[in-house]
Amino acid sequence: MSSAPSPTDVLKATAQDNHLDILSESFAKYLDEQDPLKHFRARFHIPSAQDIQAAEHQDGEEQLPLLSGDSLYFTGNSLGLQPKKAAEYISEDLSAWKSRGVLGHFTGKRPWLTIDEVVTPVMTKIVGGEAGEVCVMNSLSANLHFMMVAFYRPTSERHKILIEKGSFPSDWYAAESQIKFHHFDPKDSLIMIEPRVGEHLLRTDDIVNVIRQHKFALVLLPGVQYASGQVLDVATISQVAHESGAFVGFDLAHAVGNIPLSLHKWGVDFAVWCSYKYLNSGPGGIGGCFVHQRHANDKTMPRFAGWWGHDLASRFGMKDEFNPIPGAFGFRLSNPCSFPILSLLASLEIIDEAGIYQMRAKSEILTSYLEFLIESHLPTYVSIITPKDVHFRGCQLSLKFPGRDTKALEKGLYRKGIVCDARGEIMRVAPTPLYNTFHDVWKFVQVLVSTLSDVR
């Protein structure tokens, strides 16, 4: 790893050099003043604290004093905020439909025939792909099934799939149902890896050892673990999986737009993701898919084919012989809905302007600042299960509050205009670099301290 100072060391040095108390509000405001990405916040709609409070209020509950100002929104890992341009772009498309009808497929600012191509170049850049390796289509779970049609090809000798035991349920459901579809038994074919007893994180060495111990048909793991926020070593896992004879795919729901990715370089066979978290495309936004270039021209690859995956030059010849477009586009099924693509475009324009590496640089400092304040103010009340090493985490910190009801804590924060996310015994807090500020983080920790005294 680099010998560069850690983000926490940078924070301490910055406070000292500017004669500021690192725990003070004035230091948080100073960091915001120096933030090169600070102007991007104004390009998103930030829910008001009053609206968050009202959304959580139940009939019959005591009316709370009304809040003012913006909410503190830390759930970009669940649903990103709305870019202000989204409504404008969708309105333009509604006008095109209104005024041109079916001719909108071929004319106007963004013809529907190629509407998905307006986001493909930036999406390719974000995931570290090459031309032809990335498309947007369907949803994450649908894309996972379509990719498993191509890359899960079980035989009597090689039929196992490796997933993590704590995977997001959709991945587990997909793997189990695909195994059953091929007439194998998940008891024999579904191998699950989990952290060691007493630990919260997966060890790369343990993953490598499990891959080498079995004849896997497919290794299917997350890029970032949704509960702990751990970043997995995608490059090493991909290399070892290929050396063992397995295909390797990744669920990047919590990785894309969160951390820089190099899918082509790492040799990943396929990857799938959603776009409504760190990519801010809106609830249920369109999914994305990566297929490595080495598979681009393999027309014998199993797939569920659709009209939109057929070569464009001959598509409207309406022939009954499928001729797939090389690469990821050949896996498309139907013409995509323009509205979710345009809301995604509104966000990708911001991300492209900000730069994923610049976003990552701020994210490392922002999340480390949150970590430092929590450890300074609540050393005995909170444990952080997310990796300490910034190379193995993204925006999110996952907090455990021994002896506390996290759902009650979540509700208490909602009532104060703060949005976090409780999952079981874990509360996930994800300050995102495009619209969260250092002052947001500072205020959150102050309110968390006071709220904890009210929750048991």
Side-chain angles (χ1 to χ4, degrees):
M1 292 296 180
S2 170
S3 59
S6 71
T8 302
D9 290 338
V10 171
L11 287 165
K12 291 177 179 178
T14 302
Q16 183 176 3
D17 291 346
N18 291 278
H19 309 290
L20 293 168
D21 179 355
I22 194 171
L23 298 178
S24 68
E25 184 176 15
S26 58
F27 182 61
K29 291 181 176 180
Y30 174 81
L31 292 173
D32 283 330
E33 290 171 2
Q34 302 303 310
D35 175 18
L37 303 184
K38 61 185 177 183
H39 57 289
F40 289 108
R41 176 181 171 91
R43 292 166 67 172
F44 290 88
H45 290 292
I46 311 296
S48 72
Q50 185 174 328
D51 283 344
I52 295 300
Q53 182 189 61
E56 177 58 25
H57 186 266
Q58 302 293 321
D59 291 341
E61 289 184 336
E62 179 184 355
Q63 187 65 47
L64 297 172
L66 294 180
L67 301 172
S68 61
D70 293 336
S71 66
L72 303 181
Y73 191 89
F74 295 106
T75 51
N77 60 331
S78 185
L79 179 67
L81 292 181
Q82 182 186 136
K84 291 180 178 178
K85 283 280 189 181
E88 175 185 329
Y89 290 170
I90 291 172
S91 179
E92 290 175 353
D93 211 50
L94 286 168
S95 295
W97 179 23
K98 175 183 177 181
S99 62
R100 290 194 293 275
V102 72
L103 298 182
H105 281 96
F106 310 100
T107 64
K109 188 175 181 179
R110 303 182 188 96
W112 302 318
L113 179 66
T114 54
I115 187 70
D116 52 340
E117 295 179 27
V118 303
V119 296
T120 303
V122 178
M123 188 70 85
T124 300
K125 186 188 303 185
I126 288 171
V127 301
E130 298 287 336
E133 290 184 326
V134 173
C135 69
V136 294
M137 62 180 189
N138 310 317
S139 62
L140 188 157
S141 294
N143 289 339
L144 179 55
H145 275 292
F146 291 130
M147 289 297 99
M148 292 180 78
V149 169
F151 292 100
Y152 179 53
R153 311 175 196 175
T155 67
S156 59
E157 293 293 318
R158 190 180 286 273
H159 52 84
K160 296 178 181 178
I161 299 176
L162 175 64
I163 65 171
E164 50 152 349
K165 190 170 184 178
S167 67
F168 197 83
S170 289
D171 291 358
W172 191 90
Y173 301 154
E176 182 190 48
S177 60
Q178 288 276 344
I179 288 169
K180 290 179 177 179
F181 177 78
H182 287 281
H183 307 293
F184 288 92
D185 188 339
K187 292 179 181 179
D188 301 319
S189 299
L190 189 59
I191 307 299
M192 293 180 282
I193 186 170
E194 61 184 321
R196 297 183 184 185
V197 175
E199 298 182 359
H200 299 287
L201 307 172
L202 293 168
R203 297 193 185 192
T204 301
D205 288 347
D206 290 347
I207 297 173
V208 167
N209 289 337
V210 169
I211 292 173
R212 288 174 174 165
Q213 288 168 8
H214 297 265
K215 287 185 177 181
F216 285 108
L218 176 65
V219 172
L220 177 62
L221 293 170
V224 175
Q225 212 284 334
Y226 85 98
S228 69
Q230 178 187 8
V231 174
L232 270 62
D233 187 344
V234 174
T236 297
I237 293 168
S238 298
Q239 179 182 341
V240 173
H242 288 149
E243 289 172 352
S244 74
F247 286 122
V248 60
F250 286 88
D251 176 343
L252 301 180
H254 288 264
V256 67
N258 180 9
I259 59 172
L261 298 164
S262 299
L263 298 185
H264 178 84
K265 178 181 177 181
W266 294 336
V268 174
D269 289 302
F270 75 89
V272 293
W273 57 90
C274 55
S275 62
Y276 49 81
K277 301 180 188 296
Y278 296 105
L279 296 183
N280 316 299
S281 71
I286 195 163
C289 189
F290 168 91
V291 179
H292 198 278
Q293 196 175 70
R294 64 178 167 271
H295 305 295
N297 295 301
D298 184 359
K299 294 186 178 183
T300 67
M301 179 177 286
R303 73 179 79 202
F304 287 163
W307 194 42
W308 229 246
H310 186 95
D311 177 58
L312 179 58
S314 58
R315 183 182 304 163
F316 288 88
M318 315 302 283
K319 302 296 184 182
D320 59 3
E321 182 179 352
F322 180 67
N323 182 23
I325 302 170
F329 272 35
F331 288 88
R332 299 182 305 177
L333 298 181
S334 304
N335 57 320
C337 178
S338 60
F339 302 152
I341 288 177
L342 292 173
S343 64
L344 174 59
L345 174 64
S347 176
L348 292 190
E349 288 177 340
I350 299 172
I351 292 172
D352 195 39
E353 184 178 339
I356 192 68
Y357 287 95
Q358 289 73 22
M359 289 167 57
R360 175 61 171 164
K362 176 181 174 180
S363 176
E364 289 183 358
I365 294 287
L366 188 63
T367 299
S368 294
Y369 181 55
L370 171 63
E371 177 186 51
F372 182 82
L373 292 180
I374 289 174
E375 292 180 341
S376 297
H377 289 290
L378 296 164
T380 61
Y381 290 94
V382 182
S383 61
I384 300 173
I385 68 170
T386 310
K388 186 81 171 173
D389 188 336
V390 297
H391 298 92
F392 294 101
R393 71 183 187 202
C395 297
Q396 174 182 317
L397 288 185
S398 298
L399 313 178
K400 293 186 72 174
F401 301 87
R404 308 279 173 148
D405 182 343
T406 54
K407 291 303 291 186
L409 179 58
E410 178 189 54
K411 183 177 178 65
L413 292 172
Y414 283 159
R415 291 160 67 91
K416 297 177 180 179
I418 298 176
V419 187
C420 297
D421 175 58
R423 296 290 174 104
E425 62 180 358
I426 294 171
M427 175 168 285
R428 305 183 302 171
V429 185
T432 57
L434 288 177
Y435 50 75
N436 282 125
T437 69
F438 291 92
H439 197 215
D440 283 348
V441 168
W442 185 88
K443 288 187 289 185
F444 164 70
V445 175
Q446 310 310 307
V447 176
L448 179 63
V449 171
S450 63
T451 305
L452 275 171
S453 64
D454 301 328
V455 175
R456 292 292 183 265

